Amino acid sequence: MIAIRYHDSTKHHFSRFAPSLGYLDWATQPNPFRRYDGAVVRELPRASLATTVPYTALYDPPSQRVDEASGLVPQAIDHGSIGEFLRCSMGLSAWKQHGQSRWALRVNPSSGNLHPTEAWIVRDGRVCHYAPREHALEERCVFESRTLAEYFLVALTSITWREAWKYGERAFRYCQHDTGHAIGALRFAAAMLGWRMELLASWSDAQIATLLGLDRDADYAGAEREEPECIALVTTQPGYGIRDSGLDPDPDVLVDAARRATWRGRANRLSSDHVQWPLIEAVTRATRYPGIGDKGSGNRDAATVEPRTSGSRIPDPGSLQPAREVILRRRSALAFDPRGVLQRDALFSMLNRLQTFAPPWDVIDWSPQVHLVLFVHRVQDMTPGIYAYLRDVNVLGEWKSAMRGEFLWEPVEPANQSPRTDHPAHSANLFLLVPIDAGSIANRLSCDQEIAEDGFFSLSMLARFEEPLRTHGEWFYRRLFWECGLIGQVLYLEAEAAGGRATGIGCYYDEPVHELLGLSGHGWQSLYHFSMGLPVEDSRLTSEPGYEWEMTSMSNSRLPTPKD
Ligand SMILES: Cc1cc2nc3c(=O)[nH]c(=O)nc-3n(C[C@H](O)[C@H](O)[C@H](O)COP(=O)(O)O)c2cc1C
C-alpha cells in the first residue's frame, strides 16, 4: 500500500528526520496568496454578523439553534453572510511584524503558517475562489443556466508545494492536517451563523476537480496545481442527515454545467522553482477518493455519527463569550508559562467536546478512529502522568491488549459529579496509565519542543490505521488526518475560551511514541501531537488586525504568535 509506504518513509526518528532539503531556500519561498488573474473579482461585504451568539452555541445540535427570543436564528444564505462565513473561517486574523518581515496569520491554523489550503464556493450558478487577503471572491466561471443555483457548496483544495517547500516529503501529512483544521474552521463559522454543514461522500475527487476547474491545464500553465480535498453542502435547514435525505445536489449535473461553462482567470505562479517529491505525487494519486460510483458506498462504509442530545453537566468556562470573538482570537502559542494550571472541570469539558454527538462532528460521516494519549502536566487535582482518552469506549479492550501490560488503566471520574451521571459517554473514557512527571518525555517525543512540556498538557492523537485503509481504501488515509485536524481545531477554540492557548505539533518522533506505549505494527499510529497551556507573549512582535477596515475596532496589540 502506497499510503503505508509513504507514512513509514515520512517518520521522524531520533537518528534522522524524514527526507527534506535540510535548509530553507528563501529564493523560492511560495507566495501564500493564490490569485486567478483575469477572473471577475467580487468584494465580499465586511459587516459582522451573529456577534452575540455565545461560544457554547457552536456545539448545539442544529435543531436546537432555532430560538427567536434569544436571536439564535439561522442567517439567510446571501452575499453578506457568505462573506462572514469565509471571514470567520479562512480569512486573515492578524498581520504580524518583526523588523522588516511582515506576515499574515489566518483564522485557520497551518503547519509553518504556509497555508496550503484554498477555499472555493459554488452558489448562484457560479464557481468562485476565495481570496483571503482581499476578502473577495474570484469568479472562475458562470454556468450557462442557473444550474442548481439554490445550493451552497464549499470546497477545499491543497497546494502541496507550499508545505513541501519547507518540510519536504512529510508535507503531504501537514496538508491533510491543515485540511482537517479548515473543515473545522468552516464548520464552526457555519454553526455561528446557525447553519448545517456536511461533507458530501457522493463526490469523487475527480468530480470536485472538474467542478472547480482544477483540471483545466491551460489555466495552470507554469503555476502550481491544486489538489481536490473535499466538498461540503451548507444549509439553513435544521436537523441532521443532509447526505442521506436526498437534499444534496447531483454531482453529474454540476460537473456537466462546469464543463460547458465559460472560464476566466489564470492561476498565479507561487514559486520561481520547485523541488519534486515523487513519493508525495504517488501518495497524492493513491489516496484520491473515487466517489460512491466506484466504491459502492463511499464513506458510508464507516459508521455514521448518531445524533444525540448533549446533556453535559460539566461547567463550561467559555459559556458567556461571543463565539465570533473566540474564533477570531485563536492563535498558536509560541511558549507556555509553566506556572499556568488548568481547572480539572475545564479539562473534562474540553474532552467532552471531542465526543461525536454534536457539531462540529456532524460535518464528517465516519465513526471516531482517533483517540488520545495525554501527557498531563498541570491540571488541578489530577496526578501528573500519562492518560488514555477514548472517544469510543469500545476501544478499551483493544488498547489494553495492544499497549504495555504494566499500564494501570485506572478510570478517572470528572470532579464534582456523582457516579450516576447522565453523561456516561465521557466519565468512563479517561484512564490513568502511569502516574509520572511526563514533561521531559513529552518534550523529547515532540521533537524536543518545550511547548509539549510547559503547558497544562500535551497529547498524541493515535489513529486506528491499517484496518480502515484496508477496509475502505487508501483514500481513507487523508480522512484520518482530517479527523486529527478537527480534534485540534476544537481544542484550539477550547483553549481560547478557557483563557489559555494551544499549539498543534506536527513534528514528533513517530516510532518512539509507539515504543513508549508498547505498540507495534501498523494497527495504531500516532498522527498528530498537540499542546495547551498559559501562553507567554513574544513582545518583539507587533500585531495589526487582519483587515484595515477592522483597524478601529481592534487596537494595535501585542500578542503571542507562533513559529515552528
Ligand atoms: C498541522 C500543524 C502542525 C504544526 N506543528 C507545529 C510544531 O511542530 N511546532 C510549533 O511550534 N507549531 C506548530 N504548529 C503551529 C503553526 O506554526 C501555526 O499554526 C502557524 O504558525 C500559524 O499561526 P496561528 O496558528 O497563530 O495562526 C502547527 C500547526 C499545524 C496546523
Side-chain angles (χ1 to χ4, degrees), residues 21 23-35 102-104 106 111-118 133 159-168 171 175 223-225 268-275 277:
L21 267 194
Y23 63 93
L24 290 179
D25 179 7
W26 293 109
T28 60
Q29 183 181 19
N31 179 344
F33 298 112
R34 159 90 349 136
R35 292 298 309 270
R102 189 168 184 266
W103 64 97
R106 305 198 193 183
S111 182
N113 200 30
L114 293 162
H115 289 286
T117 318
E118 297 289 324
R133 185 178 42 190
I159 304 178
T160 317
W161 163 248
R162 283 206 180 110
E163 289 283 336
W165 169 74
K166 181 171 181 186
Y167 295 113
C175 291
E224 299 76 4
R225 302 302 285 247
N268 59 341
R269 188 180 170 112
L270 306 176
S271 286
S272 54
D273 203 1
H274 307 94
V275 176
W277 294 98

Short mmCIF file of all heavy atoms in Angstrom, two decimals, residues 21 23-35 102-104 106 111-118 133 159-168 171 175 223-225 268-275 277:
data_model
loop_
_atom_site.label_atom_id
_atom_site.label_comp_id
_atom_site.label_asym_id
_atom_site.label_seq_id
_atom_site.Cartn_x
_atom_site.Cartn_y
_atom_site.Cartn_z
N LEU A 21 14.81 18.96 2.18
CA LEU A 21 16.01 19.62 1.64
C LEU A 21 17.07 19.82 2.73
O LEU A 21 18.26 19.81 2.46
CB LEU A 21 15.66 20.99 1.07
CG LEU A 21 15.31 21.12 -0.40
CD1 LEU A 21 15.34 22.59 -0.78
CD2 LEU A 21 16.30 20.34 -1.27
N TYR A 23 17.41 22.57 4.38
CA TYR A 23 17.62 24.02 4.55
C TYR A 23 16.45 24.73 3.86
O TYR A 23 15.71 24.13 3.07
CB TYR A 23 18.95 24.46 3.93
CG TYR A 23 19.03 24.25 2.44
CD1 TYR A 23 18.67 25.27 1.56
CD2 TYR A 23 19.45 23.02 1.90
CE1 TYR A 23 18.71 25.07 0.19
CE2 TYR A 23 19.50 22.81 0.53
CZ TYR A 23 19.13 23.84 -0.33
OH TYR A 23 19.15 23.64 -1.67
N LEU A 24 16.28 26.01 4.16
CA LEU A 24 15.20 26.76 3.53
C LEU A 24 15.73 27.58 2.37
O LEU A 24 16.66 28.38 2.56
CB LEU A 24 14.54 27.69 4.56
CG LEU A 24 13.72 26.97 5.63
CD1 LEU A 24 13.13 27.98 6.61
CD2 LEU A 24 12.61 26.15 5.00
N ASP A 25 15.16 27.35 1.21
CA ASP A 25 15.59 28.08 0.01
C ASP A 25 14.71 29.33 -0.12
O ASP A 25 13.64 29.30 -0.73
CB ASP A 25 15.43 27.17 -1.22
CG ASP A 25 15.83 27.89 -2.49
OD1 ASP A 25 16.36 29.02 -2.38
OD2 ASP A 25 15.61 27.33 -3.57
N TRP A 26 15.19 30.42 0.51
CA TRP A 26 14.35 31.62 0.57
C TRP A 26 14.01 32.16 -0.81
O TRP A 26 12.99 32.82 -1.00
CB TRP A 26 15.02 32.71 1.42
CG TRP A 26 15.09 32.29 2.86
CD1 TRP A 26 16.19 31.92 3.56
CD2 TRP A 26 13.98 32.13 3.76
NE1 TRP A 26 15.85 31.54 4.85
CE2 TRP A 26 14.50 31.67 5.00
CE3 TRP A 26 12.60 32.32 3.66
CZ2 TRP A 26 13.70 31.40 6.11
CZ3 TRP A 26 11.79 32.06 4.76
CH2 TRP A 26 12.35 31.61 5.96
N ALA A 27 14.85 31.88 -1.80
CA ALA A 27 14.61 32.40 -3.16
C ALA A 27 13.34 31.80 -3.76
O ALA A 27 12.74 32.41 -4.66
CB ALA A 27 15.82 32.09 -4.04
N THR A 28 12.94 30.63 -3.28
CA THR A 28 11.74 30.00 -3.86
C THR A 28 10.59 29.94 -2.86
O THR A 28 9.65 29.16 -3.01
CB THR A 28 12.05 28.57 -4.36
OG1 THR A 28 12.51 27.78 -3.24
CG2 THR A 28 13.08 28.56 -5.46
N GLN A 29 10.65 30.76 -1.82
CA GLN A 29 9.57 30.76 -0.82
C GLN A 29 8.22 31.01 -1.51
O GLN A 29 8.07 32.01 -2.23
CB GLN A 29 9.81 31.85 0.22
CG GLN A 29 8.77 31.84 1.32
CD GLN A 29 8.99 32.95 2.33
OE1 GLN A 29 9.69 33.92 2.05
NE2 GLN A 29 8.40 32.81 3.49
N PRO A 30 7.24 30.12 -1.32
CA PRO A 30 5.98 30.27 -2.06
C PRO A 30 5.16 31.47 -1.60
O PRO A 30 5.11 31.79 -0.41
CB PRO A 30 5.21 28.98 -1.75
CG PRO A 30 6.13 28.09 -1.03
CD PRO A 30 7.27 28.91 -0.50
N ASN A 31 4.53 32.13 -2.56
CA ASN A 31 3.57 33.19 -2.29
C ASN A 31 2.39 32.56 -1.52
O ASN A 31 1.80 31.59 -1.98
CB ASN A 31 3.11 33.75 -3.65
CG ASN A 31 2.09 34.85 -3.53
OD1 ASN A 31 1.48 35.05 -2.49
ND2 ASN A 31 1.89 35.57 -4.63
N PRO A 32 2.03 33.11 -0.36
CA PRO A 32 0.92 32.49 0.39
C PRO A 32 -0.46 32.80 -0.21
O PRO A 32 -1.47 32.28 0.27
CB PRO A 32 1.06 33.11 1.78
CG PRO A 32 1.80 34.39 1.59
CD PRO A 32 2.65 34.23 0.36
N PHE A 33 -0.51 33.66 -1.24
CA PHE A 33 -1.82 34.05 -1.77
C PHE A 33 -1.98 33.61 -3.23
O PHE A 33 -1.33 34.16 -4.12
CB PHE A 33 -2.02 35.56 -1.64
CG PHE A 33 -1.99 36.02 -0.22
CD1 PHE A 33 -0.95 36.80 0.26
CD2 PHE A 33 -3.00 35.63 0.66
CE1 PHE A 33 -0.92 37.21 1.58
CE2 PHE A 33 -2.98 36.04 1.99
CZ PHE A 33 -1.94 36.83 2.46
N ARG A 34 -2.84 32.64 -3.45
CA ARG A 34 -3.20 32.24 -4.81
C ARG A 34 -4.18 33.23 -5.37
O ARG A 34 -5.12 33.65 -4.68
CB ARG A 34 -3.81 30.83 -4.75
CG ARG A 34 -4.66 30.43 -5.89
CD ARG A 34 -4.11 29.75 -7.10
NE ARG A 34 -2.76 29.59 -7.45
CZ ARG A 34 -2.22 28.46 -7.92
NH1 ARG A 34 -2.96 27.38 -7.99
NH2 ARG A 34 -0.97 28.39 -8.31
N ARG A 35 -3.96 33.65 -6.60
CA ARG A 35 -4.92 34.52 -7.29
C ARG A 35 -5.18 33.98 -8.68
O ARG A 35 -4.34 33.26 -9.24
CB ARG A 35 -4.35 35.95 -7.42
CG ARG A 35 -4.21 36.70 -6.11
CD ARG A 35 -5.51 36.92 -5.37
NE ARG A 35 -6.55 37.51 -6.22
CZ ARG A 35 -6.75 38.82 -6.36
NH1 ARG A 35 -5.99 39.68 -5.73
NH2 ARG A 35 -7.72 39.28 -7.15
N ARG A 102 7.00 41.04 7.54
CA ARG A 102 5.57 41.22 7.87
C ARG A 102 4.84 40.03 7.27
O ARG A 102 5.08 39.69 6.10
CB ARG A 102 5.08 42.53 7.25
CG ARG A 102 3.69 42.94 7.70
CD ARG A 102 3.40 44.38 7.29
NE ARG A 102 2.12 44.82 7.79
CZ ARG A 102 0.98 44.75 7.09
NH1 ARG A 102 0.98 44.28 5.85
NH2 ARG A 102 -0.16 45.19 7.62
N TRP A 103 3.99 39.38 8.03
CA TRP A 103 3.29 38.22 7.52
C TRP A 103 1.89 38.14 8.11
O TRP A 103 1.63 38.66 9.18
CB TRP A 103 4.07 36.93 7.79
CG TRP A 103 4.23 36.60 9.25
CD1 TRP A 103 3.47 35.75 9.98
CD2 TRP A 103 5.24 37.11 10.15
NE1 TRP A 103 3.92 35.70 11.28
CE2 TRP A 103 5.00 36.51 11.41
CE3 TRP A 103 6.31 38.01 10.02
CZ2 TRP A 103 5.79 36.79 12.53
CZ3 TRP A 103 7.09 38.29 11.13
CH2 TRP A 103 6.84 37.68 12.36
N ALA A 104 1.00 37.46 7.35
CA ALA A 104 -0.40 37.35 7.78
C ALA A 104 -0.62 36.04 8.52
O ALA A 104 -0.02 35.02 8.17
CB ALA A 104 -1.32 37.41 6.56
N ARG A 106 -3.95 33.49 9.83
CA ARG A 106 -5.33 33.26 9.39
C ARG A 106 -6.16 32.65 10.50
O ARG A 106 -5.63 32.14 11.49
CB ARG A 106 -5.32 32.33 8.17
CG ARG A 106 -4.45 32.90 7.07
CD ARG A 106 -4.74 32.30 5.73
NE ARG A 106 -3.67 32.66 4.81
CZ ARG A 106 -3.65 32.32 3.54
NH1 ARG A 106 -4.66 31.60 3.03
NH2 ARG A 106 -2.66 32.66 2.75
N SER A 111 0.45 24.35 9.48
CA SER A 111 1.81 23.97 9.81
C SER A 111 2.79 24.96 9.18
O SER A 111 2.78 25.16 7.96
CB SER A 111 2.06 22.56 9.29
OG SER A 111 3.35 22.16 9.62
N GLY A 112 3.63 25.58 9.99
CA GLY A 112 4.61 26.53 9.49
C GLY A 112 4.01 27.79 8.93
O GLY A 112 4.69 28.57 8.28
N ASN A 113 2.71 28.03 9.16
CA ASN A 113 1.98 29.19 8.61
C ASN A 113 2.12 29.24 7.08
O ASN A 113 2.14 30.30 6.48
CB ASN A 113 2.50 30.49 9.24
CG ASN A 113 1.50 31.64 9.08
OD1 ASN A 113 0.29 31.42 9.03
ND2 ASN A 113 2.00 32.85 8.96
N LEU A 114 2.17 28.08 6.45
CA LEU A 114 2.41 28.03 5.00
C LEU A 114 1.10 27.99 4.20
O LEU A 114 1.09 28.24 3.00
CB LEU A 114 3.29 26.82 4.66
CG LEU A 114 4.71 27.00 5.23
CD1 LEU A 114 5.44 25.67 5.30
CD2 LEU A 114 5.51 27.99 4.40
N HIS A 115 0.04 27.63 4.82
CA HIS A 115 -1.31 27.68 4.26
C HIS A 115 -1.46 27.07 2.86
O HIS A 115 -1.66 27.79 1.88
CB HIS A 115 -1.85 29.12 4.33
CG HIS A 115 -2.16 29.50 5.73
ND1 HIS A 115 -3.26 29.02 6.41
CD2 HIS A 115 -1.47 30.25 6.63
CE1 HIS A 115 -3.25 29.47 7.64
NE2 HIS A 115 -2.17 30.21 7.81
N PRO A 116 -1.41 25.76 2.80
CA PRO A 116 -1.63 25.08 1.53
C PRO A 116 -3.11 25.02 1.13
O PRO A 116 -3.43 24.70 -0.01
CB PRO A 116 -1.12 23.65 1.81
CG PRO A 116 -1.35 23.45 3.28
CD PRO A 116 -1.11 24.81 3.90
N THR A 117 -4.01 25.33 2.08
CA THR A 117 -5.45 25.09 1.85
C THR A 117 -6.11 26.30 1.19
O THR A 117 -6.02 27.42 1.70
CB THR A 117 -6.17 24.80 3.19
OG1 THR A 117 -5.35 23.93 3.97
CG2 THR A 117 -7.52 24.16 2.96
N GLU A 118 -6.79 26.07 0.08
CA GLU A 118 -7.55 27.12 -0.61
C GLU A 118 -9.04 26.79 -0.48
O GLU A 118 -9.43 25.61 -0.50
CB GLU A 118 -7.19 27.16 -2.11
CG GLU A 118 -5.74 27.52 -2.37
CD GLU A 118 -5.41 28.98 -2.07
OE1 GLU A 118 -6.26 29.86 -2.32
OE2 GLU A 118 -4.30 29.24 -1.58
N ARG A 133 -6.73 37.67 1.29
CA ARG A 133 -6.10 38.97 1.55
C ARG A 133 -7.05 40.11 1.17
O ARG A 133 -7.19 41.09 1.89
CB ARG A 133 -4.80 39.09 0.76
CG ARG A 133 -4.03 40.36 1.09
CD ARG A 133 -2.73 40.43 0.32
NE ARG A 133 -2.91 40.01 -1.08
CZ ARG A 133 -1.91 39.79 -1.93
NH1 ARG A 133 -0.68 39.93 -1.53
NH2 ARG A 133 -2.17 39.41 -3.17
N ILE A 159 -2.50 23.13 -2.05
CA ILE A 159 -1.33 23.35 -2.90
C ILE A 159 -0.15 22.78 -2.12
O ILE A 159 0.45 23.46 -1.27
CB ILE A 159 -1.14 24.85 -3.23
CG1 ILE A 159 -2.41 25.41 -3.87
CG2 ILE A 159 0.07 25.03 -4.17
CD1 ILE A 159 -2.36 26.90 -4.19
N THR A 160 0.13 21.52 -2.39
CA THR A 160 1.06 20.76 -1.56
C THR A 160 2.46 21.39 -1.54
O THR A 160 3.17 21.31 -0.54
CB THR A 160 1.16 19.31 -2.09
OG1 THR A 160 -0.17 18.88 -2.40
CG2 THR A 160 1.76 18.37 -1.08
N TRP A 161 2.83 22.01 -2.66
CA TRP A 161 4.17 22.60 -2.74
C TRP A 161 4.44 23.58 -1.61
O TRP A 161 5.57 23.69 -1.10
CB TRP A 161 4.37 23.28 -4.11
CG TRP A 161 5.53 24.22 -4.11
CD1 TRP A 161 5.51 25.58 -4.21
CD2 TRP A 161 6.93 23.87 -3.94
NE1 TRP A 161 6.78 26.10 -4.12
CE2 TRP A 161 7.67 25.07 -3.95
CE3 TRP A 161 7.60 22.65 -3.76
CZ2 TRP A 161 9.06 25.11 -3.80
CZ3 TRP A 161 8.99 22.69 -3.61
CH2 TRP A 161 9.69 23.90 -3.64
N ARG A 162 3.41 24.31 -1.18
CA ARG A 162 3.64 25.32 -0.13
C ARG A 162 4.27 24.66 1.11
O ARG A 162 5.15 25.22 1.74
CB ARG A 162 2.33 26.00 0.26
CG ARG A 162 1.86 27.03 -0.75
CD ARG A 162 0.99 28.07 -0.04
NE ARG A 162 0.50 29.07 -0.96
CZ ARG A 162 -0.78 29.19 -1.35
NH1 ARG A 162 -1.70 28.36 -0.89
NH2 ARG A 162 -1.13 30.15 -2.17
N GLU A 163 3.75 23.47 1.48
CA GLU A 163 4.30 22.78 2.65
C GLU A 163 5.60 22.06 2.30
O GLU A 163 6.53 22.01 3.10
CB GLU A 163 3.29 21.76 3.21
CG GLU A 163 2.08 22.39 3.89
CD GLU A 163 2.36 22.92 5.29
OE1 GLU A 163 3.30 22.46 5.94
OE2 GLU A 163 1.64 23.85 5.73
N ALA A 164 5.66 21.51 1.08
CA ALA A 164 6.85 20.74 0.68
C ALA A 164 8.08 21.65 0.60
O ALA A 164 9.19 21.22 0.85
CB ALA A 164 6.61 20.05 -0.66
N TRP A 165 7.86 22.91 0.25
CA TRP A 165 8.98 23.87 0.19
C TRP A 165 9.79 23.83 1.49
O TRP A 165 11.01 23.85 1.46
CB TRP A 165 8.42 25.28 -0.05
CG TRP A 165 9.46 26.34 0.13
CD1 TRP A 165 10.49 26.65 -0.71
CD2 TRP A 165 9.61 27.22 1.27
NE1 TRP A 165 11.25 27.66 -0.19
CE2 TRP A 165 10.74 28.04 1.03
CE3 TRP A 165 8.88 27.39 2.44
CZ2 TRP A 165 11.17 29.01 1.93
CZ3 TRP A 165 9.31 28.36 3.34
CH2 TRP A 165 10.43 29.16 3.08
N LYS A 166 9.09 23.76 2.62
CA LYS A 166 9.80 23.78 3.90
C LYS A 166 10.03 22.37 4.47
O LYS A 166 11.09 22.08 5.00
CB LYS A 166 9.00 24.61 4.92
CG LYS A 166 9.67 24.70 6.28
CD LYS A 166 8.99 25.69 7.19
CE LYS A 166 9.71 25.76 8.53
NZ LYS A 166 9.00 26.61 9.48
N TYR A 167 9.01 21.50 4.33
CA TYR A 167 9.06 20.25 5.09
C TYR A 167 9.39 19.02 4.25
O TYR A 167 9.45 17.91 4.78
CB TYR A 167 7.73 20.02 5.82
CG TYR A 167 7.47 21.07 6.87
CD1 TYR A 167 6.43 21.99 6.74
CD2 TYR A 167 8.27 21.14 8.01
CE1 TYR A 167 6.20 22.95 7.71
CE2 TYR A 167 8.04 22.10 8.98
CZ TYR A 167 7.00 23.00 8.82
OH TYR A 167 6.78 23.95 9.79
N GLY A 168 9.55 19.17 2.94
CA GLY A 168 9.91 18.03 2.11
C GLY A 168 8.83 16.97 2.10
O GLY A 168 7.62 17.27 2.06
N ALA A 171 5.39 16.70 4.00
CA ALA A 171 4.45 17.80 3.75
C ALA A 171 3.02 17.32 3.45
O ALA A 171 2.05 18.00 3.81
CB ALA A 171 4.94 18.64 2.58
N CYS A 175 -0.50 18.91 4.89
CA CYS A 175 -1.62 19.41 4.08
C CYS A 175 -2.93 18.79 4.55
O CYS A 175 -3.98 19.45 4.57
CB CYS A 175 -1.40 19.07 2.60
SG CYS A 175 -0.05 19.99 1.88
N ALA A 223 1.99 27.30 -13.33
CA ALA A 223 1.58 27.54 -11.93
C ALA A 223 1.39 26.21 -11.21
O ALA A 223 1.15 25.17 -11.83
CB ALA A 223 0.29 28.34 -11.90
N GLU A 224 1.48 26.26 -9.88
CA GLU A 224 1.30 25.07 -9.06
C GLU A 224 -0.15 24.61 -9.11
O GLU A 224 -1.07 25.43 -9.04
CB GLU A 224 1.69 25.36 -7.60
CG GLU A 224 3.13 25.78 -7.41
CD GLU A 224 3.40 27.22 -7.84
OE1 GLU A 224 2.46 27.94 -8.22
OE2 GLU A 224 4.57 27.63 -7.80
N ARG A 225 -0.38 23.31 -9.22
CA ARG A 225 -1.74 22.77 -9.30
C ARG A 225 -2.36 22.72 -7.91
O ARG A 225 -1.66 22.71 -6.89
CB ARG A 225 -1.73 21.34 -9.88
CG ARG A 225 -1.12 21.23 -11.25
CD ARG A 225 -1.80 22.09 -12.28
NE ARG A 225 -3.10 21.60 -12.73
CZ ARG A 225 -3.35 21.16 -13.97
NH1 ARG A 225 -2.40 21.16 -14.90
NH2 ARG A 225 -4.55 20.76 -14.32
N ASN A 268 -1.89 32.22 -10.55
CA ASN A 268 -0.56 32.84 -10.45
C ASN A 268 0.47 31.79 -10.04
O ASN A 268 0.16 30.80 -9.37
CB ASN A 268 -0.57 34.01 -9.45
CG ASN A 268 -0.98 33.59 -8.05
OD1 ASN A 268 -1.58 32.55 -7.85
ND2 ASN A 268 -0.65 34.41 -7.06
N ARG A 269 1.70 32.02 -10.43
CA ARG A 269 2.79 31.12 -10.06
C ARG A 269 3.27 31.54 -8.67
O ARG A 269 3.51 32.72 -8.41
CB ARG A 269 3.91 31.25 -11.09
CG ARG A 269 5.02 30.26 -10.94
CD ARG A 269 6.06 30.49 -12.02
NE ARG A 269 7.25 29.70 -11.75
CZ ARG A 269 7.63 28.67 -12.49
NH1 ARG A 269 6.95 28.32 -13.57
NH2 ARG A 269 8.71 27.99 -12.18
N LEU A 270 3.43 30.56 -7.78
CA LEU A 270 3.74 30.88 -6.39
C LEU A 270 5.23 30.86 -6.07
O LEU A 270 5.67 31.52 -5.13
CB LEU A 270 3.00 29.90 -5.46
CG LEU A 270 1.49 29.80 -5.69
CD1 LEU A 270 0.88 28.75 -4.79
CD2 LEU A 270 0.81 31.15 -5.46
N SER A 271 5.98 30.06 -6.83
CA SER A 271 7.44 29.98 -6.61
C SER A 271 8.14 29.98 -7.94
O SER A 271 7.62 29.42 -8.92
CB SER A 271 7.82 28.67 -5.89
OG SER A 271 7.45 28.69 -4.55
N SER A 272 9.36 30.54 -7.95
CA SER A 272 10.10 30.59 -9.22
C SER A 272 10.63 29.21 -9.60
O SER A 272 10.89 28.94 -10.77
CB SER A 272 11.26 31.58 -9.09
OG SER A 272 12.04 31.22 -7.97
N ASP A 273 10.80 28.34 -8.64
CA ASP A 273 11.33 27.00 -8.93
C ASP A 273 10.78 26.02 -7.89
O ASP A 273 10.32 26.44 -6.83
CB ASP A 273 12.86 27.04 -8.87
CG ASP A 273 13.47 25.90 -9.69
OD1 ASP A 273 12.69 25.13 -10.30
OD2 ASP A 273 14.71 25.79 -9.71
N HIS A 274 10.85 24.73 -8.22
CA HIS A 274 10.26 23.72 -7.34
C HIS A 274 11.19 22.52 -7.19
O HIS A 274 11.94 22.22 -8.11
CB HIS A 274 8.93 23.23 -7.91
CG HIS A 274 7.97 24.32 -8.20
ND1 HIS A 274 7.87 24.89 -9.44
CD2 HIS A 274 7.12 25.00 -7.40
CE1 HIS A 274 6.97 25.86 -9.40
NE2 HIS A 274 6.50 25.95 -8.18
N VAL A 275 11.06 21.84 -6.06
CA VAL A 275 11.74 20.56 -5.87
C VAL A 275 10.67 19.47 -6.00
O VAL A 275 9.59 19.61 -5.44
CB VAL A 275 12.39 20.49 -4.47
CG1 VAL A 275 13.02 19.14 -4.22
CG2 VAL A 275 13.42 21.61 -4.33
N TRP A 277 8.98 15.88 -5.29
CA TRP A 277 8.97 14.84 -4.26
C TRP A 277 8.11 13.70 -4.80
O TRP A 277 6.88 13.68 -4.58
CB TRP A 277 8.43 15.38 -2.93
CG TRP A 277 9.34 16.42 -2.34
CD1 TRP A 277 9.22 17.76 -2.43
CD2 TRP A 277 10.55 16.17 -1.62
NE1 TRP A 277 10.27 18.40 -1.80
CE2 TRP A 277 11.10 17.43 -1.30
CE3 TRP A 277 11.22 15.01 -1.21
CZ2 TRP A 277 12.29 17.56 -0.58
CZ3 TRP A 277 12.40 15.15 -0.50
CH2 TRP A 277 12.93 16.41 -0.19
#
